[in-house]
Amino acid sequence: MRRVDQRSLRVVVLPDALVNPGSRLNGGDGTGTPDPLIAALVEDGWGFVKMPPHGLAATTARAIVETIAGDLVDYLRHDHRVVIVAVADLPGEGVWLDELRAALARWNTDLPPIARVARPATAAAIDAVRAA
Amino acid sequence: MTNPVRRVAFVAHCLLNQNAKVSEFARCAGVFSPLVGRLVEHGWEIQQLPCPEMSFLGVSRWWQSREQYDTAGYRRHCRALAKSVVDLAELHIAHDYDLVVIGLDGSPSSGVRLTSTKPEWGGRPEGAIAGGSSRRPGMGVWMEELKNEFEERGHPFPRATGIAMDAQDFDLEAALVDLDGFLDAADETTAEGARP
């Protein structure tokens, strides 16, 4: 008997700073909760691909971004919707955008649509994700 | 004045993204929200582990047992991913974070306490139609390689648990009671180690 598979086929690429806004790695004091957009995305059924924090060494970050880019290429090949959530006032817009673009280009793949949001990202910002 | 306790959970990729699951194993649309809700409530930051199955074989991969993933090539792939994870973990350790790992029990790769087994699988992929793999105690291949990378770099493997979403008899209520117990114990451990 086949099992009921509940995946949404929708993936959102997220900055670490929205998931862990108070992180010491992002210059915070170790307290704080995810921006309200995160709960809204959970409720809306998006799968998360969280990018690495910017305190990470560039070589390590590039390796992680390469892996993520490969996953995104596969999702796109298999008809998933992929949206990047970017924050303008963060390095690399919070998602290592230059590195991600370069990694995708190696697989002849353009950047997926980008939803640019401000911090703190409100629940209402989900409209930008849906519209991207 | 007390420094805020800093804690981070490294969670199996698919607990935040069910789109990465092998076909028929996605139990919710995207994020396994009971986990995220509890982590936020308990004050844990969240880091997402990579899914080695996804990056090795893609989203359209067949069902495979632990024995099929237990190859030198797949272990090399897992170890390469583990290096970046431990780099990130070391950054947290340098910032005095308490770490835990939350895997996916029942998975051939991400199981912590429970993994899959079906030694006879191989060749024409019709065996799964007759029934899935079985479960046995033990770690999946990815978790083993992650543990090895931590230990080879001089770090104990963090306290770890798994959510048994890949077990045939998955019981959500029991899994959440188990998870609450793990997080409560982690609260106590962290409180004991809190710095003045």
Side-chain angles (χ1 to χ4, degrees), chain A residues 16-108:
Chain A
D16 183 85
L18 296 189
V19 178
N20 301 309
S23 174
R24 293 282 293 178
L25 277 55
N26 293 318
D29 65 0
T31 62
T33 55
D35 282 13
L37 173 62
I38 300 303
L41 290 166
V42 171
E43 180 70 21
D44 207 39
W46 294 81
F48 289 4
V49 172
K50 194 193 71 60
M51 298 300 274
H54 271 82
L56 202 54
T59 49
T60 300
R62 276 196 293 272
I64 295 172
V65 172
E66 285 282 348
T67 300
I68 288 173
D71 289 355
L72 298 182
V73 168
D74 199 60
Y75 286 129
L76 292 167
R77 283 177 180 167
H78 290 91
D79 300 324
H80 290 59
R81 187 161 172 228
V82 177
V83 174
I84 297 170
V85 172
V87 178
D89 66 349
L90 292 172
E93 299 196 42
V95 287
W96 300 84
L97 200 58
D98 290 343
E99 290 82 357
L100 182 57
R101 182 187 291 108
L104 289 168
R106 283 190 275 282
W107 297 101
N108 298 315

Side-chain angles (χ1 to χ4, degrees), chain B residues 108-121:
Chain B
S109 296
S110 298
V112 172
R113 302 170 300 181
L114 189 70
T115 188
S116 79
T117 181
K118 193 60 99 172
E120 61 268 35
W121 274 5

Side-chain angles (χ1 to χ4, degrees), chain B:
Chain B
M1 181 173 173
T2 302
N3 287 332
V5 174
R6 297 185 285 270
R7 304 187 291 191
V8 60
F10 284 73
V11 305
H13 183 95
C14 61
L15 292 171
L16 299 185
N17 180 22
Q18 290 280 289
N19 295 290
K21 298 296 297 182
V22 74
S23 180
E24 296 183 40
F25 277 77
R27 294 186 182 269
C28 59
V31 175
F32 181 55
S33 57
L35 170 65
V36 171
R38 280 165 170 76
L39 290 175
V40 170
E41 183 183 328
H42 285 255
W44 292 82
E45 293 179 20
I46 299 170
Q47 290 296 333
Q48 184 177 29
L49 293 168
C51 172
E53 292 183 18
M54 176 72 203
S55 49
F56 199 69
L57 291 169
V59 74
S60 62
R61 63 194 181 275
W62 299 109
W63 292 5
Q64 293 205 158
S65 66
R66 187 187 189 287
E67 289 82 4
Q68 290 171 295
Y69 279 119
D70 191 5
T71 66
Y74 186 65
R75 283 188 178 273
R76 271 195 298 272
H77 171 65
C78 289
R79 187 57 79 96
L81 296 177
K83 290 184 187 313
S84 298
V85 172
V86 179
D87 286 348
L88 181 56
E90 285 183 333
L91 191 60
H92 285 89
I93 292 166
H95 284 85
D96 292 328
Y97 274 79
D98 183 32
L99 275 63
V100 295
V101 170
I102 301 178
L104 195 82
D105 279 351
S107 162
S109 296
S110 298
V112 172
R113 302 170 300 181
L114 189 70
T115 188
S116 79
T117 181
K118 193 60 99 172
E120 61 268 35
W121 274 5
R124 188 180 295 199
E126 61 192 4
I129 294 172
S133 56
S134 303
R135 298 293 174 270
R136 69 161 175 82
M139 276 188 165
V141 172
W142 160 230
M143 280 296 149
E144 274 189 355
E145 289 301 324
L146 184 58
K147 180 174 184 286
N148 291 342
E149 182 68 19
F150 266 98
E151 291 176 350
E152 286 179 18
R153 286 164 66 165
H155 306 290
F157 190 56
R159 294 188 308 282
T161 190
I163 299 174
M165 291 174 74
D166 272 10
Q168 290 98 330
D169 58 352
F170 175 58
D171 179 336
L172 175 61
E173 201 168 317
L176 295 180
V177 169
D178 188 51
L179 177 63
D180 286 338
F182 177 80
L183 294 176
D184 288 344
D187 282 349
E188 290 165 17
T189 304
T190 307
E192 285 166 11
R195 295 173 301 122

Side-chain angles (χ1 to χ4, degrees), chain A residues 5 30 42 101 114 126:
Chain A
D5 190 290
V42 171
R101 182 187 291 108
I114 299 175
I126 196 166

